[in-house]
């Protein structure tokens, strides 16, 4: 593991990190090692966010750096070596709500952490969630909503998934502005999260057992 | 006239939620009185987080709030059913919060508002979500204003909310808000602007300070109403000092009165 690269990425030193990654590749280093270092750095970034040293702009910037690193190593990865995804997650802002900022951060963080993410966008009708579950066979669904009126739509979406006979196969997490345990119970979801990191940890727990 | 809509009677606040659950009228009324003393010109009432019981809770809150409030109320709900009950209960001409261009909200709100006598908060959101440039915000504001006029709401009763987006997710979001406020005030003379401040600091440390500085920037751009916590002495002080500096306080009367009352901390 190239600890210097891990440190440069987790300290958000974009220029240094990209130069270092480029040099490693130029000198014939293994692109998979670079990727492993980047992943370790992303975990460190998540940790710093969790303890309050890093904030949302730091998370977003770390994702930008990660994308830069991936674009450097991609041409050197053999097809069969393409990083395997950790599992699929379907995400959308529920019907009647068009807020996308929180959802987009969750999508971004799941993507950075190696999950395959199907982003259904905003104001998503319940049937669209159901169709996507059937189409992709994803086992985790994230329902986002900022407005209090989204609670009702979340409940309706969970109920519809139940009626479609899919509830037992999947885990549902909810998140947004004002969610707590009471709202989680009201909607019938399995878990709720306060931030994007919670979403990543929930997906990891559910998909990587 | 700058409108301060006191935001505290909202069941997303833990204390208020408990007071509503326990039907603790005293707690609510003390809070309302404190908001008035702090400078609120409207009291916002929102029971939207009470999934399943919003109607009864809103009705109870309105009854209790009005026993303590001298200023009018801002009826805050996405549901026209709740708003219809709320409107029938108010003793003073209220503000209604809010209409937007989202399909699920626009037509029902217009039918609700037809022929009613109230101020209206109009949110520049549509089915595509949040706006991305000031021209888009102004275009949405014009559509909202024309729609509201068609059901009898006068321009001076309209308060456009340009939709504040976090600076943590877009470096230009504060400038977007400032340019939007200026654009709306220029394109629609007579129409007012309003906004909540706290969205801007989402995801950042030092949120209160950021909100306060953001308020001064918006005031300088022409904002003439805000939804905030009137018990926050620092933000109210910033509001008073900034209005004075913008030439909106004759002989510095409001500012100096507040200083003498011990209400200014900058």
């Amino acid at each position: 593991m190239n600890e210097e690269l891990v440190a440069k990425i987790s300290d958000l030193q974009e220029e240094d990190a990209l130069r270092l990654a480029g040099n490693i590749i130029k000198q014939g280093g293994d692109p998979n090692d670079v990727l492993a270092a980047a992943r370790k750095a992303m975990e460190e970034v998540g940790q710093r966010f969790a303890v309050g040293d890093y904030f949302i702009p730091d998370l977003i910037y770390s994702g930008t750096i990660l994308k830069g690193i991936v674009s450097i190593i991609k041409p050197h990865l053999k097809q069969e070596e393409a990083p395997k995804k950790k599992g699929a997650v379907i995400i959308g802002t529920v019907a009647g709500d068009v807020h996308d900022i929180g959802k987009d951060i969750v999508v971004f963080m799941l993507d950075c952490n190696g999950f395959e993410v199907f982003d259904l966008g905003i104001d998503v009708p319940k049937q669209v969630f159901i169709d996507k579950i059937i189409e992709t066979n994803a086992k985790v669904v994230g329902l986002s909503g900022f407005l209090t009126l989204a609670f009702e739509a979340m409940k309706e979406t969970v109920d519809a998934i139940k009626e479609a006979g899919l509830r037992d196969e999947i885990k549902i997490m909810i998140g947004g502005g004002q969610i707590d345990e009471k709202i989680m119970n009201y909607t019938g979801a399995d878990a709720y999260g306060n931030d994007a990191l919670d979403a990543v940890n929930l997906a990891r727990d559910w998909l990587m057992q | 006239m700058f409108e301060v809509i006191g935001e505290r009677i909202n069941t997303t606040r833990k204390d208020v939620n408990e007071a509503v659950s326990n039907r603790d009228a005293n707690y609510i009324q003390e809070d309302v009185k404190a908001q008035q003393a702090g400078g609120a010109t409207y009291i916002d009432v929102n029971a939207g987080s009470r999934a399943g019981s919003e109607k009864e809770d809103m009705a109870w809150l309105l009854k209790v709030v009005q026993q303590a409030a001298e200023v009018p109320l801002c009826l805050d709900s996405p549901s026209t059913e709740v708003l219809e009950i709320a409107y029938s209960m108010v003793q003073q001409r209220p503000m209604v919060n809010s209409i937007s261009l989202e399909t699920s909200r626009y037509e029902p709100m217009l039918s609700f508002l037809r022929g009613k006598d109230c101020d209206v908060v109009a949110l520049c959101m549509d089915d595509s979500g949040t706006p991305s440039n000031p021209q888009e915000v102004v275009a949405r504001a014009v559509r909202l204003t024309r729609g509201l006029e068609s059901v009898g709401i006068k321009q001076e009763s309209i308060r456009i909310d340009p939709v504040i987006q976090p600076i943590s997710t877009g470096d230009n979001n504060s400038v977007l808000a400032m340019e939007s406020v200026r654009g709306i005030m220029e394109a629609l003379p007579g129409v007012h602007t309003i906004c909540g401040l706290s969205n801007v600091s989402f995801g950042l440390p030092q949120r209160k300070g950021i909100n306060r500085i953001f308020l001064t920037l918006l005031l300088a751009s022409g904002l003439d109403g805000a939804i905030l916590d009137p018990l926050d002495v620092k933000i109210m002080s910033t509001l008073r000092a900034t209005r004075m500096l913008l030439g909106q306080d004759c002989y510095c009367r409001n500012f100096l009165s507040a200083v003498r009352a011990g209400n200014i901390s900058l």
Side-chain angles (χ1 to χ4, degrees):
Chain A
M1 181 75 63
N2 189 315
E3 293 300 336
E4 192 188 356
L5 183 58
V6 175
K8 290 296 180 195
I9 299 171
S10 42
D11 291 343
L12 307 180
Q13 302 294 317
E14 182 178 14
E15 258 179 65
D16 289 353
L18 295 185
R19 189 171 44 232
L20 189 55
N23 287 343
I24 294 171
I25 297 295
K26 252 183 246 156
Q27 289 157 15
D30 185 347
N32 280 308
D33 291 346
V34 174
L35 198 63
R39 291 240 181 279
K40 190 177 175 204
M42 291 306 283
E43 271 171 37
E44 174 63 24
V45 166
Q47 198 50 42
R48 292 182 191 180
F49 178 75
V51 299
D53 285 341
Y54 274 10
F55 296 91
I56 282 171
D58 298 312
L59 284 188
I60 298 176
Y61 190 33
S62 71
T64 307
I65 298 172
L66 179 67
K67 280 191 181 149
I69 301 236
V70 168
S71 72
I72 289 172
I73 60 172
K74 213 167 193 176
H76 304 277
L77 280 174
K78 294 196 198 94
Q79 198 60 39
E80 64 268 26
E81 284 174 354
K84 253 186 83 187
K85 293 284 183 183
K86 291 175 180 168
V89 181
I90 295 169
I91 299 271
T93 303
V94 292
D97 197 334
V98 297
H99 287 85
D100 57 6
I101 288 168
K103 172 192 67 73
D104 287 350
I105 297 171
V106 170
V107 167
F108 184 77
M109 286 304 288
L110 285 169
D111 184 47
C112 288
N113 280 276
F115 294 92
E116 186 175 13
V117 190
F118 299 98
D119 180 2
L120 301 180
I122 55 177
D123 192 10
V124 181
K126 50 195 176 187
Q127 191 58 44
V128 174
F129 281 103
I130 291 169
D131 293 346
K132 202 70 184 176
I133 295 169
I134 295 167
E135 180 200 323
T136 63
N137 204 27
K139 297 298 176 213
V140 174
V141 174
L143 305 178
S144 173
F146 182 70
L147 302 171
T148 50
L149 72 91
F151 306 158
E152 212 51 53
M154 286 176 174
K155 182 175 160 54
E156 284 169 17
T157 307
V158 174
D159 287 346
I161 292 171
K162 206 180 291 171
E163 277 159 33
L166 299 164
R167 185 69 184 89
D168 295 340
E169 306 165 23
I170 61 160
K171 293 287 191 183
I172 301 176
M173 57 183 170
I174 59 174
Q178 342 262 4
I179 308 272
D180 59 19
E181 197 172 336
K182 207 175 139 217
I183 300 298
M184 179 190 85
N185 292 333
Y186 178 77
T187 61
D190 295 300
Y192 73 99
N194 288 316
D195 57 44
L197 205 65
D198 285 350
V200 170
N201 289 332
L202 285 168
R204 190 175 286 142
D205 287 349
W206 285 337
L207 290 170
M208 303 191 64
Q209 290 157 351
Chain B
M1 176 76 177
F2 188 94
E3 303 293 358
V4 173
I5 290 86
E7 68 186 3
R8 296 172 56 86
I9 304 298
N10 188 322
T11 53
T12 57
R13 296 171 69 101
K14 199 165 157 270
D15 294 358
V16 171
N17 191 44
E18 268 172 37
V20 172
S21 293
N22 303 331
R23 293 296 189 251
D24 183 351
N26 190 47
Y27 181 91
I28 299 290
Q29 290 172 341
E30 287 307 311
D31 193 288
V32 168
K33 285 179 200 160
Q35 289 193 69
Q36 281 180 164
T41 58
Y42 279 85
I43 302 290
D44 191 89
V45 184
N46 183 328
S49 70
R50 305 276 297 176
S53 66
E54 185 186 359
K55 259 187 277 178
E56 306 87 83
D57 293 332
M58 186 69 159
W60 178 79
L61 269 174
L62 289 174
K63 188 178 74 144
V64 167
V65 167
Q66 286 188 101
Q67 288 163 358
E70 287 153 25
V71 299
L73 307 188
C74 179
L75 310 174
D76 191 351
S77 173
S79 154
T80 52
E81 206 187 337
V82 172
L83 288 173
E84 201 68 70
I85 295 168
Y87 186 85
S88 74
M89 289 180 66
V90 291
Q91 291 149 8
Q92 295 190 64
R93 185 176 180 277
M95 187 180 292
V96 169
N97 187 7
S98 58
I99 188 173
S100 77
L101 291 166
E102 295 156 82
T103 309
S104 57
R105 199 138 165 187
Y106 185 67
E107 289 296 340
M109 279 299 295
L110 280 189
S111 341
F112 163 76
L113 290 166
R114 188 178 295 274
K116 289 200 167 66
D117 184 24
C118 55
D119 274 23
V120 181
V121 176
L123 210 58
C124 292
M125 287 279 259
D126 70 11
D127 290 335
S128 68
T130 43
S132 53
N133 61 63
Q135 293 75 24
E136 203 180 343
V137 181
V138 173
R140 292 181 188 190
V142 170
R143 275 167 61 206
L144 283 162
T145 301
R146 300 294 167 251
L148 287 167
E149 284 177 320
S150 77
V151 295
I153 305 289
K154 294 197 178 69
Q155 288 217 352
E156 58 265 31
S157 302
I158 299 172
R159 299 196 162 264
I160 305 282
D161 183 331
V163 183
I164 307 303
Q165 300 171 64
I167 195 73
S168 63
T169 61
D171 293 342
N172 221 31
N173 279 342
S174 165
V175 173
L176 169 62
M178 287 155 61
E179 289 178 353
S180 297
V181 166
R182 183 165 289 129
I184 292 164
M185 295 306 242
E186 279 168 10
L188 295 162
V191 165
H192 301 282
T193 43
I194 193 164
C195 62
L197 302 166
S198 55
N199 271 3
V200 80
S201 60
F202 167 77
L204 289 175
Q206 306 280 348
R207 290 192 67 171
K208 282 192 163 191
I210 295 170
N211 298 346
R212 207 156 59 224
I213 293 164
F214 184 51
L215 175 62
T216 66
L217 294 173
L218 289 175
L219 285 164
S221 307
L223 186 81
D224 62 356
I227 302 172
L228 48 78
D229 179 0
L231 268 57
D232 180 339
V233 173
K234 286 212 155 183
I235 202 160
M236 291 305 292
S237 301
T238 301
L239 174 63
R240 290 185 169 113
T242 308
R243 294 199 63 211
M244 174 178 74
L245 292 168
L246 287 169
Q248 297 169 8
D249 188 7
C250 275
Y251 299 101
C252 311
R253 285 300 80 197
N254 287 330
F255 179 76
L256 288 176
S257 311
V259 169
R260 288 183 194 111
N263 288 334
I264 294 291
S265 165
L266 284 168

